[in-house]
PDB file of all heavy atoms in Angstrom:
ATOM      1  N   TRP A   7       0.795  -1.134   0.015  1.00  0.00           N
ATOM      2  CA  TRP A   7      -0.027  -0.031  -0.029  1.00  0.00           C
ATOM      3  C   TRP A   7       0.856   1.271   0.068  1.00  0.00           C
ATOM      4  O   TRP A   7       1.984   1.204   0.399  1.00  0.00           O
ATOM      5  CB  TRP A   7      -0.888   0.080   1.151  1.00  0.00           C
ATOM      6  CG  TRP A   7      -0.243   0.253   2.547  1.00  0.00           C
ATOM      7  CD1 TRP A   7       0.287  -0.750   3.359  1.00  0.00           C
ATOM      8  CD2 TRP A   7       0.028   1.475   3.217  1.00  0.00           C
ATOM      9  NE1 TRP A   7       0.808  -0.188   4.493  1.00  0.00           N
ATOM     10  CE2 TRP A   7       0.675   1.160   4.448  1.00  0.00           C
ATOM     11  CE3 TRP A   7      -0.251   2.802   2.875  1.00  0.00           C
ATOM     12  CZ2 TRP A   7       1.145   2.128   5.272  1.00  0.00           C
ATOM     13  CZ3 TRP A   7       0.201   3.817   3.736  1.00  0.00           C
ATOM     14  CH2 TRP A   7       0.834   3.422   4.921  1.00  0.00           C
ATOM     15  N   GLY A   8       0.316   2.349  -0.502  1.00  0.00           N
ATOM     16  CA  GLY A   8       1.009   3.619  -0.465  1.00  0.00           C
ATOM     17  C   GLY A   8       0.110   4.724  -0.055  1.00  0.00           C
ATOM     18  O   GLY A   8      -1.092   4.653  -0.184  1.00  0.00           O
ATOM     19  N   SER A   9       0.687   5.722   0.497  1.00  0.00           N
ATOM     20  CA  SER A   9      -0.025   6.887   0.840  1.00  0.00           C
ATOM     21  C   SER A   9      -0.200   7.989  -0.210  1.00  0.00           C
ATOM     22  O   SER A   9      -0.822   9.052  -0.003  1.00  0.00           O
ATOM     23  CB  SER A   9       0.528   7.507   2.144  1.00  0.00           C
ATOM     24  OG  SER A   9       1.894   7.972   1.905  1.00  0.00           O
ATOM     25  N   VAL A  10       0.382   7.676  -1.375  1.00  0.00           N
ATOM     26  CA  VAL A  10       0.389   8.696  -2.467  1.00  0.00           C
ATOM     27  C   VAL A  10      -0.430   8.109  -3.631  1.00  0.00           C
ATOM     28  O   VAL A  10      -1.244   7.278  -3.394  1.00  0.00           O
ATOM     29  CB  VAL A  10       1.817   8.960  -2.982  1.00  0.00           C
ATOM     30  CG1 VAL A  10       2.619   9.625  -1.805  1.00  0.00           C
ATOM     31  CG2 VAL A  10       2.564   7.664  -3.420  1.00  0.00           C
ATOM     32  N   ASN A  11      -0.136   8.594  -4.810  1.00  0.00           N
ATOM     33  CA  ASN A  11      -0.948   8.106  -6.010  1.00  0.00           C
ATOM     34  C   ASN A  11      -0.474   6.739  -6.530  1.00  0.00           C
ATOM     35  O   ASN A  11       0.676   6.335  -6.218  1.00  0.00           O
ATOM     36  CB  ASN A  11      -0.744   9.210  -7.197  1.00  0.00           C
ATOM     37  CG  ASN A  11      -1.353  10.476  -6.838  1.00  0.00           C
ATOM     38  OD1 ASN A  11      -2.225  10.613  -5.888  1.00  0.00           O
ATOM     39  ND2 ASN A  11      -0.923  11.469  -7.485  1.00  0.00           N
ATOM     40  N   ALA A  12      -1.383   6.070  -7.247  1.00  0.00           N
ATOM     41  CA  ALA A  12      -1.009   4.770  -7.733  1.00  0.00           C
ATOM     42  C   ALA A  12       0.134   4.788  -8.737  1.00  0.00           C
ATOM     43  O   ALA A  12       0.790   3.676  -8.916  1.00  0.00           O
ATOM     44  CB  ALA A  12      -2.312   4.162  -8.385  1.00  0.00           C
ATOM     45  N   ASP A  13       0.461   5.801  -9.398  1.00  0.00           N
ATOM     46  CA  ASP A  13       1.652   5.830 -10.233  1.00  0.00           C
ATOM     47  C   ASP A  13       2.916   6.155  -9.552  1.00  0.00           C
ATOM     48  O   ASP A  13       4.006   6.280 -10.105  1.00  0.00           O
ATOM     49  CB  ASP A  13       1.417   7.002 -11.372  1.00  0.00           C
ATOM     50  CG  ASP A  13       1.263   8.341 -10.817  1.00  0.00           C
ATOM     51  OD1 ASP A  13       1.363   8.473  -9.666  1.00  0.00           O
ATOM     52  OD2 ASP A  13       1.063   9.219 -11.669  1.00  0.00           O
ATOM     53  N   GLY A  14       2.875   6.237  -8.206  1.00  0.00           N
ATOM     54  CA  GLY A  14       4.057   6.466  -7.401  1.00  0.00           C
ATOM     55  C   GLY A  14       4.358   7.910  -7.122  1.00  0.00           C
ATOM     56  O   GLY A  14       5.249   8.233  -6.268  1.00  0.00           O
ATOM     57  N   GLY A  15       3.564   8.766  -7.777  1.00  0.00           N
ATOM     58  CA  GLY A  15       3.900  10.238  -7.578  1.00  0.00           C
ATOM     59  C   GLY A  15       2.895  10.897  -6.608  1.00  0.00           C
ATOM     60  O   GLY A  15       2.021  10.227  -5.974  1.00  0.00           O
ATOM     61  N   GLY A  16       2.932  12.172  -6.536  1.00  0.00           N
ATOM     62  CA  GLY A  16       2.076  12.960  -5.778  1.00  0.00           C
ATOM     63  C   GLY A  16       2.509  12.981  -4.256  1.00  0.00           C
ATOM     64  O   GLY A  16       3.472  12.436  -3.861  1.00  0.00           O
ATOM     65  N   SER A  17       1.739  13.762  -3.501  1.00  0.00           N
ATOM     66  CA  SER A  17       2.041  13.981  -2.068  1.00  0.00           C
ATOM     67  C   SER A  17       1.098  12.972  -1.272  1.00  0.00           C
ATOM     68  O   SER A  17       0.170  12.342  -1.770  1.00  0.00           O
ATOM     69  CB  SER A  17       1.801  15.352  -1.655  1.00  0.00           C
ATOM     70  OG  SER A  17       0.466  15.809  -1.993  1.00  0.00           O
ATOM     71  N   VAL A  18       1.387  12.959   0.031  1.00  0.00           N
ATOM     72  CA  VAL A  18       0.578  12.009   0.892  1.00  0.00           C
ATOM     73  C   VAL A  18      -0.861  12.556   0.996  1.00  0.00           C
ATOM     74  O   VAL A  18      -1.029  13.698   1.280  1.00  0.00           O
ATOM     75  CB  VAL A  18       1.280  12.083   2.343  1.00  0.00           C
ATOM     76  CG1 VAL A  18       0.320  11.284   3.299  1.00  0.00           C
ATOM     77  CG2 VAL A  18       2.663  11.434   2.290  1.00  0.00           C
ATOM     78  N   ALA A  19      -1.764  11.638   0.731  1.00  0.00           N
ATOM     79  CA  ALA A  19      -3.139  11.875   0.796  1.00  0.00           C
ATOM     80  C   ALA A  19      -3.534  11.659   2.253  1.00  0.00           C
ATOM     81  O   ALA A  19      -3.992  10.577   2.682  1.00  0.00           O
ATOM     82  CB  ALA A  19      -3.977  11.040  -0.142  1.00  0.00           C
ATOM     83  N   VAL A  20      -3.445  12.646   3.070  1.00  0.00           N
ATOM     84  CA  VAL A  20      -3.563  12.560   4.523  1.00  0.00           C
ATOM     85  C   VAL A  20      -4.758  11.979   5.066  1.00  0.00           C
ATOM     86  O   VAL A  20      -4.776  10.913   5.762  1.00  0.00           O
ATOM     87  CB  VAL A  20      -3.217  13.913   5.222  1.00  0.00           C
ATOM     88  CG1 VAL A  20      -3.351  13.790   6.705  1.00  0.00           C
ATOM     89  CG2 VAL A  20      -1.818  14.375   4.837  1.00  0.00           C
ATOM     90  N   SER A  21      -5.892  12.563   4.618  1.00  0.00           N
ATOM     91  CA  SER A  21      -7.226  12.071   5.201  1.00  0.00           C
ATOM     92  C   SER A  21      -7.536  10.666   4.584  1.00  0.00           C
ATOM     93  O   SER A  21      -8.108   9.801   5.385  1.00  0.00           O
ATOM     94  CB  SER A  21      -8.333  13.012   4.818  1.00  0.00           C
ATOM     95  OG  SER A  21      -8.474  13.203   3.385  1.00  0.00           O
ATOM     96  N   GLU A  22      -7.301  10.478   3.359  1.00  0.00           N
ATOM     97  CA  GLU A  22      -7.575   9.095   2.825  1.00  0.00           C
ATOM     98  C   GLU A  22      -6.740   8.001   3.385  1.00  0.00           C
ATOM     99  O   GLU A  22      -7.133   6.857   3.645  1.00  0.00           O
ATOM    100  CB  GLU A  22      -7.455   9.095   1.301  1.00  0.00           C
ATOM    101  CG  GLU A  22      -8.275   7.960   0.560  1.00  0.00           C
ATOM    102  CD  GLU A  22      -9.785   8.105   0.876  1.00  0.00           C
ATOM    103  OE1 GLU A  22     -10.491   9.050   0.555  1.00  0.00           O
ATOM    104  OE2 GLU A  22     -10.220   7.095   1.528  1.00  0.00           O
ATOM    105  N   ALA A  23      -5.454   8.309   3.626  1.00  0.00           N
ATOM    106  CA  ALA A  23      -4.528   7.420   4.242  1.00  0.00           C
ATOM    107  C   ALA A  23      -4.994   7.079   5.631  1.00  0.00           C
ATOM    108  O   ALA A  23      -4.942   5.920   6.051  1.00  0.00           O
ATOM    109  CB  ALA A  23      -3.080   7.969   4.313  1.00  0.00           C
ATOM    110  N   ALA A  24      -5.471   8.075   6.414  1.00  0.00           N
ATOM    111  CA  ALA A  24      -5.968   7.884   7.745  1.00  0.00           C
ATOM    112  C   ALA A  24      -7.214   6.925   7.706  1.00  0.00           C
ATOM    113  O   ALA A  24      -7.333   6.144   8.534  1.00  0.00           O
ATOM    114  CB  ALA A  24      -6.290   9.133   8.382  1.00  0.00           C
ATOM    115  N   ALA A  25      -8.107   7.158   6.637  1.00  0.00           N
ATOM    116  CA  ALA A  25      -9.304   6.283   6.537  1.00  0.00           C
ATOM    117  C   ALA A  25      -8.863   4.854   6.360  1.00  0.00           C
ATOM    118  O   ALA A  25      -9.423   3.947   6.899  1.00  0.00           O
ATOM    119  CB  ALA A  25     -10.165   6.870   5.418  1.00  0.00           C
ATOM    120  N   TRP A  26      -7.884   4.705   5.492  1.00  0.00           N
ATOM    121  CA  TRP A  26      -7.319   3.332   5.223  1.00  0.00           C
ATOM    122  C   TRP A  26      -6.706   2.696   6.538  1.00  0.00           C
ATOM    123  O   TRP A  26      -6.954   1.495   6.765  1.00  0.00           O
ATOM    124  CB  TRP A  26      -6.299   3.344   4.056  1.00  0.00           C
ATOM    125  CG  TRP A  26      -6.890   3.200   2.741  1.00  0.00           C
ATOM    126  CD1 TRP A  26      -7.053   4.209   1.795  1.00  0.00           C
ATOM    127  CD2 TRP A  26      -7.529   2.097   2.145  1.00  0.00           C
ATOM    128  NE1 TRP A  26      -7.643   3.756   0.662  1.00  0.00           N
ATOM    129  CE2 TRP A  26      -8.044   2.459   0.896  1.00  0.00           C
ATOM    130  CE3 TRP A  26      -7.888   0.769   2.577  1.00  0.00           C
ATOM    131  CZ2 TRP A  26      -8.675   1.558  -0.073  1.00  0.00           C
ATOM    132  CZ3 TRP A  26      -8.506  -0.099   1.736  1.00  0.00           C
ATOM    133  CH2 TRP A  26      -8.865   0.288   0.407  1.00  0.00           C
ATOM    134  N   MET A  27      -5.913   3.436   7.223  1.00  0.00           N
ATOM    135  CA  MET A  27      -5.427   2.926   8.451  1.00  0.00           C
ATOM    136  C   MET A  27      -6.407   2.424   9.476  1.00  0.00           C
ATOM    137  O   MET A  27      -6.356   1.299  10.015  1.00  0.00           O
ATOM    138  CB  MET A  27      -4.487   3.947   9.158  1.00  0.00           C
ATOM    139  CG  MET A  27      -3.220   4.405   8.399  1.00  0.00           C
ATOM    140  SD  MET A  27      -2.251   3.136   7.741  1.00  0.00           S
ATOM    141  CE  MET A  27      -2.682   3.203   5.957  1.00  0.00           C
ATOM    142  N   THR A  28      -7.514   3.260   9.563  1.00  0.00           N
ATOM    143  CA  THR A  28      -8.658   2.807  10.374  1.00  0.00           C
ATOM    144  C   THR A  28      -9.352   1.571   9.915  1.00  0.00           C
ATOM    145  O   THR A  28      -9.616   0.614  10.673  1.00  0.00           O
ATOM    146  CB  THR A  28      -9.659   3.969  10.527  1.00  0.00           C
ATOM    147  OG1 THR A  28      -9.164   5.155  11.041  1.00  0.00           O
ATOM    148  CG2 THR A  28     -10.857   3.558  11.258  1.00  0.00           C
ATOM    149  N   PHE A  29      -9.496   1.473   8.597  1.00  0.00           N
ATOM    150  CA  PHE A  29     -10.122   0.264   8.083  1.00  0.00           C
ATOM    151  C   PHE A  29      -9.244  -0.974   8.216  1.00  0.00           C
ATOM    152  O   PHE A  29      -9.837  -1.967   8.632  1.00  0.00           O
ATOM    153  CB  PHE A  29     -10.332   0.536   6.480  1.00  0.00           C
ATOM    154  CG  PHE A  29     -10.964  -0.650   5.802  1.00  0.00           C
ATOM    155  CD1 PHE A  29     -12.256  -0.814   5.766  1.00  0.00           C
ATOM    156  CD2 PHE A  29     -10.196  -1.599   5.063  1.00  0.00           C
ATOM    157  CE1 PHE A  29     -12.917  -1.825   5.139  1.00  0.00           C
ATOM    158  CE2 PHE A  29     -10.814  -2.685   4.422  1.00  0.00           C
ATOM    159  CZ  PHE A  29     -12.225  -2.842   4.459  1.00  0.00           C
ATOM    160  N   MET A  30      -8.004  -0.829   8.110  1.00  0.00           N
ATOM    161  CA  MET A  30      -7.093  -1.985   8.290  1.00  0.00           C
ATOM    162  C   MET A  30      -6.983  -2.419   9.783  1.00  0.00           C
ATOM    163  O   MET A  30      -7.055  -3.607  10.087  1.00  0.00           O
ATOM    164  CB  MET A  30      -5.682  -1.715   7.755  1.00  0.00           C
ATOM    165  CG  MET A  30      -5.621  -1.591   6.253  1.00  0.00           C
ATOM    166  SD  MET A  30      -3.973  -1.583   5.548  1.00  0.00           S
ATOM    167  CE  MET A  30      -3.239  -0.096   6.226  1.00  0.00           C
ATOM    168  N   LYS A  31      -6.980  -1.472  10.644  1.00  0.00           N
ATOM    169  CA  LYS A  31      -7.029  -1.726  12.065  1.00  0.00           C
ATOM    170  C   LYS A  31      -8.323  -2.366  12.452  1.00  0.00           C
ATOM    171  O   LYS A  31      -8.360  -3.339  13.263  1.00  0.00           O
ATOM    172  CB  LYS A  31      -6.657  -0.492  12.931  1.00  0.00           C
ATOM    173  CG  LYS A  31      -5.237  -0.078  12.828  1.00  0.00           C
ATOM    174  CD  LYS A  31      -4.959   1.200  13.600  1.00  0.00           C
ATOM    175  CE  LYS A  31      -3.531   1.614  13.571  1.00  0.00           C
ATOM    176  NZ  LYS A  31      -3.278   2.884  14.292  1.00  0.00           N
ATOM    177  N   THR A  32      -9.485  -1.777  12.054  1.00  0.00           N
ATOM    178  CA  THR A  32     -10.769  -2.405  12.359  1.00  0.00           C
ATOM    179  C   THR A  32     -10.900  -3.807  11.931  1.00  0.00           C
ATOM    180  O   THR A  32     -11.513  -4.712  12.626  1.00  0.00           O
ATOM    181  CB  THR A  32     -11.887  -1.529  11.822  1.00  0.00           C
ATOM    182  OG1 THR A  32     -11.701  -0.195  12.383  1.00  0.00           O
ATOM    183  CG2 THR A  32     -13.256  -2.113  12.162  1.00  0.00           C
ATOM    184  N   ASN A  33     -10.380  -4.185  10.748  1.00  0.00           N
ATOM    185  CA  ASN A  33     -10.528  -5.468  10.234  1.00  0.00           C
ATOM    186  C   ASN A  33      -9.313  -6.369  10.369  1.00  0.00           C
ATOM    187  O   ASN A  33      -9.242  -7.432   9.779  1.00  0.00           O
ATOM    188  CB  ASN A  33     -10.900  -5.311   8.738  1.00  0.00           C
ATOM    189  CG  ASN A  33     -12.211  -4.739   8.544  1.00  0.00           C
ATOM    190  OD1 ASN A  33     -13.260  -5.447   8.720  1.00  0.00           O
ATOM    191  ND2 ASN A  33     -12.326  -3.443   8.093  1.00  0.00           N
ATOM    192  N   HIS A  34      -8.286  -5.946  11.218  1.00  0.00           N
ATOM    193  CA  HIS A  34      -7.160  -6.640  11.422  1.00  0.00           C
ATOM    194  C   HIS A  34      -6.411  -7.147  10.251  1.00  0.00           C
ATOM    195  O   HIS A  34      -6.106  -8.335  10.051  1.00  0.00           O
ATOM    196  CB  HIS A  34      -7.471  -7.923  12.365  1.00  0.00           C
ATOM    197  CG  HIS A  34      -8.106  -7.567  13.657  1.00  0.00           C
ATOM    198  ND1 HIS A  34      -7.378  -7.062  14.753  1.00  0.00           N
ATOM    199  CD2 HIS A  34      -9.423  -7.455  14.013  1.00  0.00           C
ATOM    200  CE1 HIS A  34      -8.294  -6.777  15.765  1.00  0.00           C
ATOM    201  NE2 HIS A  34      -9.447  -7.057  15.357  1.00  0.00           N
TER     202      HIS A  34
END
């Protein structure tokens, strides 16, 4: 997984990365 764009570029998508962290922790 990455916190940036799928092409490897861009900056960290802060809010969406946080949403993914919550999803992964909730679902182990």
Side-chain angles (χ1 to χ4, degrees):
W7 68 271
S9 58
V10 296
N11 298 337
D13 63 0
S17 56
V18 171
V20 177
S21 61
E22 201 59 63
W26 275 109
M27 297 310 107
T28 299
F29 181 82
M30 291 194 294
K31 289 178 180 178
T32 299
N33 291 286
H34 300 279

